[in-house]
């Protein structure tokens, strides 16, 4: 059995959402793929194909394992452990899991959450248990919290429910209707501009020291309010750029991110960094009339470009 799971991008509101303001996140068709098959014997074999790593474990170890002792296997192992315990299963036969992913790692697109949700869906289906999305999202959030110490529901909820979510105070509501239809018509480029030099937690802690952050967050919330009312790509792009200008005041952008945003503004409808910042990705709203020049300019910058659309 093979399960494909999306990733996510934050359209507006990163960092503000940590302080109870809202963020808009969107599931995108940049996916991870997880395959599971039963094998003889009483072992679990985990193959991380992109990282060229494999792990063999005895079935009877999984229920009480400390996943944080297993490096890159931690999210997948924690997802297996929590799913088997939640379903109250005594695993009798071994299985092998293969993980591959098109999602660039540790640059704000939720690769860990995609692996986590994909593993929960795969293992529960392997044991013929049909989990509801609410159960999957909750299990996924508990995995990210156990591995990271703390987490918001943004990544795991967006990847579970797909489409567009408005997140506020660790609750979400799905945005459907006109805005969803408008976003479906939009073409985005995710540009992996540069490796993040700091972890999300460090960047969040640095923003905490910015005196006028609340003023900035209120302006971002106003941008979100306006974005939800528009169905015009030029207006939407300008709002993305305005959000980026405000994120720069939080000192979380970099010269490289700003350079890529500037190209996105000149040859697209708008652009902003997405996620924690400090490196990582920029999202650009494509103006299809100028897409060729946009790609030409971006290719001069030694960046990685992903074409993606919203997935529902
Ligand atoms: N292709 C993959 N194969 C195996 N493990 C992966 C893969 N992609 C992500 N992971 C797991 O997720 C971890 C990266 O999670 P991390 O939260 O740091 O980055 P992210 O989820 O991509 O970014 P963010 O959480 O900021 O959106 C990796 O260390 C690994 O444990
Ligand atoms: C910076 C932040 O808002 C988004 C990170 O992708 C942190 C969070 O919401 O957990
Ligand atoms: Mg993550």
């Amino acid at each position: 059995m093979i399960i494909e799971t999306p990733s996510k991008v934050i359209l507006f509101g990163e960092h503000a959402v940590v302080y109870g303001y809202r963020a808009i996140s969107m599931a995108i068709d940049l996916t991870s793929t997880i395959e599971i098959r039963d094998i003889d014997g009483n072992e679990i074999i985990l193959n991380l194909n992109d990282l060229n790593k494999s792990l063999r474990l005895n079935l009877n170890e999984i229920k009480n394992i400390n996943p944080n002792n297993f490096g890159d296997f931690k999210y997948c192992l924690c997802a297996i452990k929590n799913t088997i315990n939640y379903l109250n299963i005594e695993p009798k036969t071994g299985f092998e899991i293969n993980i591959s992913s098109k999602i660039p790692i540790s640059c704000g697109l939720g690769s860990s959450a995609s692996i986590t949700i994909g593993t929960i869906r795969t293992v529960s289906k392997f044991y013929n248990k049909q989990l509801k999305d609410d159960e999957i999202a909750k299990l996924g959030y508990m995995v990210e919290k156990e591995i990271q110490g703390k987490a918001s529901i943004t990544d795991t909820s967006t990847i579970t429910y797909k489409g567009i979510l408005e997140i506020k105070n660790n609750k979400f509501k799905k945005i459907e209707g006109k805005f969803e239809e408008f976003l479906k018509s939009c073409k985005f480029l995710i540009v992996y501009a540069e490796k993040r030099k700091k972890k999300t937690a460090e960047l969040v802690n640095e923003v905490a020291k910015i005196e006028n952050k609340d003023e900035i967050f209120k302006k971002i919330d106003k941008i979100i309010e306006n974005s939800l009312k528009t169905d015009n790509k030029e207006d939407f792009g300008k709002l993305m750029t305005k959000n980026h200008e405000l994120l720069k005041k939080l000192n979380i952008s970099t010269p490289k991110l700003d350079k890529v945003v500037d190209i996105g503004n000149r040859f697209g409808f708008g652009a902003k960094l997405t996620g924690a910042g400090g490196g990582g990705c920029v999202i650009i709203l494509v103006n299809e009339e100028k897409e060729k020049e946009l790609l030409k300019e971006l290719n001069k910058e030694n960046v990685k470009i992903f074409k993606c659309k919203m997935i529902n």
Side-chain angles (χ1 to χ4, degrees), residues 54-67:
S54 274
L55 176 73
R56 303 176 86 98
L57 273 178
N58 218 299
L59 266 180
N60 57 24
E61 292 177 73
I62 191 69
K63 293 194 89 163
N64 302 304
I65 199 161
N66 175 358

Side-chain angles (χ1 to χ4, degrees), residues 53-243:
K53 291 182 179 176
S54 274
L55 176 73
R56 303 176 86 98
L57 273 178
N58 218 299
L59 266 180
N60 57 24
E61 292 177 73
I62 191 69
K63 293 194 89 163
N64 302 304
I65 199 161
N66 175 358
N68 271 311
N69 296 338
F70 291 86
D72 279 327
F73 296 93
K74 54 188 182 254
Y75 285 96
C76 179
L77 273 178
C78 192
I80 296 170
K81 176 189 82 165
N82 288 12
T83 305
I84 284 178
N85 287 330
Y86 178 76
L87 294 171
N88 208 5
I89 282 166
E90 285 305 329
K92 296 274 180 284
T93 54
F95 56 81
E96 179 174 28
I97 286 184
N98 278 291
I99 294 181
S100 309
S101 172
K102 299 187 200 92
I103 310 160
I105 298 179
S106 295
C107 57
L109 299 181
S111 68
S112 66
S114 186
I115 300 288
T116 297
I117 298 301
T119 302
I120 293 166
R121 287 194 193 281
T122 306
V123 171
S124 52
K125 283 212 164 104
F126 181 72
Y127 288 108
N128 297 316
K129 303 285 182 188
Q130 193 58 39
L131 288 178
K132 295 189 192 71
D133 277 351
D134 292 356
E135 296 173 289
I136 292 171
K138 190 151 184 339
L139 278 169
Y141 170 65
M142 297 310 286
V143 167
E144 290 233 306
K145 206 152 164 267
E146 181 175 339
I147 299 295
Q148 297 163 191
K150 63 185 177 76
S152 83
I153 64 165
T154 308
D155 294 9
T156 42
S157 294
T158 307
I159 288 166
T160 302
Y161 298 100
K162 303 191 187 92
I164 306 139
L165 267 57
E166 180 181 312
I167 308 278
K168 182 168 178 162
N169 294 326
N170 237 18
K171 290 188 180 53
F172 77 89
K173 72 176 178 189
K174 261 202 102 164
I175 301 177
E176 289 165 323
K178 256 184 91 187
F179 185 65
E180 182 190 22
E181 288 315 307
F182 165 64
L183 278 190
K184 269 187 192 154
S185 71
C186 293
K187 196 170 173 186
F188 294 98
L189 288 189
I190 302 278
V191 181
Y192 182 14
E194 60 180 332
K195 203 168 160 20
R196 267 192 336 207
K197 295 168 189 73
K198 293 175 186 161
K199 285 272 178 211
T200 297
E202 284 175 85
L203 290 150
V204 169
N205 292 336
E206 285 174 11
V207 167
K209 297 174 195 135
I210 307 273
E211 303 240 322
N212 64 330
K213 59 182 175 293
D214 252 322
E215 201 184 299
I216 293 171
F217 295 152
K218 286 190 177 88
K219 288 180 181 164
I220 293 173
D221 203 58
K222 190 78 192 129
I223 287 172
I224 293 176
E225 195 183 313
N226 293 333
S227 73
L228 294 171
K229 291 180 206 155
T230 182
D231 59 0
N232 171 294
K233 291 182 184 179
E234 267 184 78
D235 296 344
F236 193 83
K238 285 193 183 96
L239 291 168
M240 289 170 70
T241 302
K242 270 175 82 176
N243 191 162

Side-chain angles (χ1 to χ4, degrees), residues 8 10 13-18 108 151-152 154-155 196 200 204 274-276:
K8 70 76 176 100
I10 293 183
E14 49 273 283
H15 287 286
V17 70
V18 177
S152 83
T154 308
D155 294 9
R196 267 192 336 207
T200 297
V204 169
T274 180

